[in-house]
Amino acid sequence: MATADARRRLRERPVGTTIVLTIVGYALVLGTFLLDVPIYPDLTNAQVNLLSHVIAVINTTATVVLTLGWYWIRAGEVEKHRLAMVSGFVLILGFLVVYLLKVGGGGTKEFVGPDSVYYPYLVMLAIHIILSIVSVPVVLYALVLGLTHTPAELRNTAHARVGRIAAGAWILSLFLGVVTYVLLNHVFTYEFASMLVPVL
């Protein structure tokens, strides 16, 4: 009963739900960057590297899952599409937890490489960050609509139009995140921006 009531409220107020969830998400990330909240453990460089690799695996998996979801809806396989998009969202929540742990624990790295690569790297990183920020409300809105309406009902909503924008921005952001990870960690090198716990 309570679940049905909550779903009905979400269904009736998708924009309001999207706004609330977006504010919560932005607050978590901004709070981690701007406030010295003592909830994160200090990380060693080895732990930062491990979390960087975990993030890359999550983002690569999410990119594949979301691309499959896009393919499946174009092929008319609605249930596979729904499963893929929900799975992608769960993966992104996992990414957020690991990312906040890494950044909150002092784990940021700076690219070290030739200028001919450094500036394209910065451009890709900037596009990745901007898309990840602006896609949050669009992704959440498409997700709220998708979870609270039947496939037949979704035809009368903005889900398909918003979903195309959300998926495109999301997939491109994740792809660029993986590319910058490879450049930073495997092709060139990096320096730790801050080291809170020395490596033993």
Side-chain angles (χ1 to χ4, degrees):
M1 178 70 175
T3 304
D5 193 44
R7 183 175 175 173
R8 181 183 53 77
R9 284 198 298 271
L10 288 174
R11 177 187 170 89
E12 292 171 354
R13 299 182 187 91
V15 173
T17 303
T18 300
I19 291 170
V20 170
L21 292 175
T22 300
I23 290 170
V24 169
Y26 286 161
L28 284 171
V29 175
L30 287 174
T32 299
F33 277 104
L34 303 177
L35 304 174
D36 188 18
V37 183
I39 60 172
Y40 300 105
D42 292 340
L43 300 174
T44 65
N45 290 349
Q47 290 169 324
V48 170
N49 281 331
L50 176 62
L51 293 178
S52 296
H53 302 323
V54 170
I55 287 169
V57 169
I58 292 171
N59 284 350
T60 302
T61 305
T63 304
V64 171
V65 166
L66 293 172
T67 303
L68 285 171
W70 190 324
Y71 168 77
W72 281 326
I73 197 61
R74 295 181 68 81
E77 299 190 52
V78 175
E79 285 309 312
K80 286 183 179 179
H81 165 76
R82 184 184 294 241
L83 179 62
M85 294 321 204
V86 171
S87 298
F89 185 72
V90 170
L91 285 166
I92 294 308
L93 290 179
F95 154 80
L96 184 60
V97 170
V98 177
Y99 179 76
L100 292 177
L101 179 64
K102 181 171 99 60
V103 172
T108 56
K109 302 185 207 178
E110 295 178 357
F111 181 85
V112 177
D115 286 349
S116 61
V117 180
Y118 177 69
Y119 293 108
Y121 167 85
L122 286 183
V123 169
M124 286 188 290
L125 185 61
I127 294 169
H128 162 69
I129 292 169
I130 291 166
L131 284 176
S132 66
I133 292 169
V134 300
S135 68
V136 169
V138 185
V139 166
L140 288 171
Y141 185 65
L143 188 70
V144 168
L145 287 175
L147 292 176
T148 58
H149 292 74
T150 66
E153 292 169 336
L154 284 174
R155 293 188 186 96
N156 300 318
T157 71
H159 177 77
R161 182 168 29 90
V162 172
R164 280 190 293 273
I165 296 166
W170 207 1
I171 290 167
L172 181 57
S173 173
L174 288 167
F175 174 76
L176 290 176
V178 172
V179 170
T180 55
Y181 158 81
V182 170
L183 290 174
L184 179 69
N185 292 277
H186 299 290
V187 177
F188 296 97
T189 188
Y190 56 84
E191 292 176 354
F192 286 95
S194 63
M195 189 173 80
L196 298 180
V197 178
V199 176
L200 300 176

